[in-house]
Amino acid sequence: MPCTRPPYGDVIEGRFISLEPLTRQLVPELFAVIGHPEVFAGGYGGGPAAYRDTLEGFAEFAESYYAWDAANVHAVRLVGGQHDGLLVGTSTLGDFDLSLGYAHLGWTAYDPRVWGTAVNAEAKLLILGSAFDNGFERVKIQADVLNTRSRSAIAKLGATFEGVARHDMRRADGEWRDSAIFSILSDEWPTVRQGLERRIERQGEQPVELVSATQ
């Protein structure tokens, strides 16, 4: 099928999470859950120097960091349980090249209290499914080479490691960043999807609960 841009404005319902468009009105909610030093420590947003400890500072960061009008920028909410409806993070499908069927899945951060739960696996399942269902051929996923947590998580998805792009962007402190590049192709998606579905099944029937308190 021809490649088309995934539709904007859709709410995508999953088993343990739902995705909705991230709007500027949701920035205070997002700050409450990802506005923590440990989220930025691994390289999110440009690394520790990008961290802002006030809502005003975070809002300024968010305004320039998220591609509000040029990408599918998602807010991630929990479904079910005592935290039903709680916003717990964000992820984006962007950098579209429709002629090549290319997209980039990234700009992802979650409340540390849902790290290690089914949240990331289901978010990837829903977003990647949106891309490949709309005819995309290749989805890139990348991480700062220093972010071992993110690199491990990407590899665990079943994405293929392509190599390291050296000095491909600046970190927030002005230093050069090297990026570890991974990708998933359309013919690899069924296998990747099955792996994600198995991981989500391990959650069982219980809704995702917050596993620890943020600092």
Side-chain angles (χ1 to χ4, degrees), residues 5-113:
R5 186 190 302 265
Y8 290 108
D10 283 5
V11 174
I12 307 176
E13 294 286 349
R15 184 172 172 183
F16 300 109
I17 65 165
S18 67
L19 304 177
E20 66 182 72
L22 181 70
T23 65
R24 291 173 175 85
Q25 289 71 32
L26 297 179
V27 166
E29 283 186 74
L30 187 63
F31 172 65
V33 296
I34 72 167
H36 306 287
E38 60 265 43
V39 173
F40 289 78
Y44 182 70
Y51 170 67
R52 300 291 183 267
D53 62 359
T54 66
L55 175 57
E56 181 181 16
F58 183 82
E60 292 177 356
F61 157 80
E63 186 62 33
S64 61
Y65 185 66
Y66 300 115
W68 297 100
D69 302 314
N72 284 0
V73 187
H74 299 285
V76 182
R77 293 190 184 275
L78 295 182
V79 171
Q82 62 177 321
H83 304 295
D84 182 50
L86 180 69
L87 194 154
V88 293
T90 182
S91 192
T92 294
L93 186 71
D95 286 351
F96 301 121
D97 186 327
L98 300 185
S99 66
L100 297 176
Y102 167 91
H104 174 193
L105 173 54
W107 303 272
T108 301
Y110 299 110
D111 186 330
R113 296 174 295 177

Side-chain angles (χ1 to χ4, degrees), residues 34-208:
I34 72 167
H36 306 287
E38 60 265 43
V39 173
F40 289 78
Y44 182 70
Y51 170 67
R52 300 291 183 267
D53 62 359
T54 66
L55 175 57
E56 181 181 16
F58 183 82
E60 292 177 356
F61 157 80
E63 186 62 33
S64 61
Y65 185 66
Y66 300 115
W68 297 100
D69 302 314
N72 284 0
V73 187
H74 299 285
V76 182
R77 293 190 184 275
L78 295 182
V79 171
Q82 62 177 321
H83 304 295
D84 182 50
L86 180 69
L87 194 154
V88 293
T90 182
S91 192
T92 294
L93 186 71
D95 286 351
F96 301 121
D97 186 327
L98 300 185
S99 66
L100 297 176
Y102 167 91
H104 174 193
L105 173 54
W107 303 272
T108 301
Y110 299 110
D111 186 330
R113 296 174 295 177
V114 301
W115 289 357
T117 70
V119 167
N120 184 52
E122 187 162 44
K124 294 295 191 292
L125 179 71
L126 297 176
I127 297 171
L128 288 167
S130 172
F132 291 116
D133 288 349
N134 280 277
F136 281 83
E137 173 58 26
R138 177 178 181 267
V139 176
K140 180 181 76 170
I141 311 175
Q142 67 183 28
D144 190 320
V145 293
L146 300 180
N147 191 340
T148 55
R149 182 185 182 90
S150 288
R151 292 184 63 176
S152 176
I154 295 168
K156 190 176 180 180
L157 292 175
T160 297
F161 177 61
E162 295 185 341
V164 174
R166 300 183 301 163
H167 287 199
D168 69 323
M169 65 179 68
R170 296 277 190 179
R171 298 188 180 98
D173 62 5
E175 294 295 317
W176 283 108
R177 163 180 148 164
D178 296 343
S179 294
I181 308 296
F182 299 78
S183 68
I184 300 170
L185 305 182
S186 62
D187 61 0
E188 298 167 341
W189 170 233
T191 299
V192 173
R193 182 181 62 224
Q194 289 172 6
L196 288 169
E197 289 170 344
R198 285 193 296 269
R199 288 171 57 187
I200 294 167
E201 284 297 322
R202 291 199 288 269
Q203 176 71 29
E205 298 300 324
Q206 296 299 315
V208 172

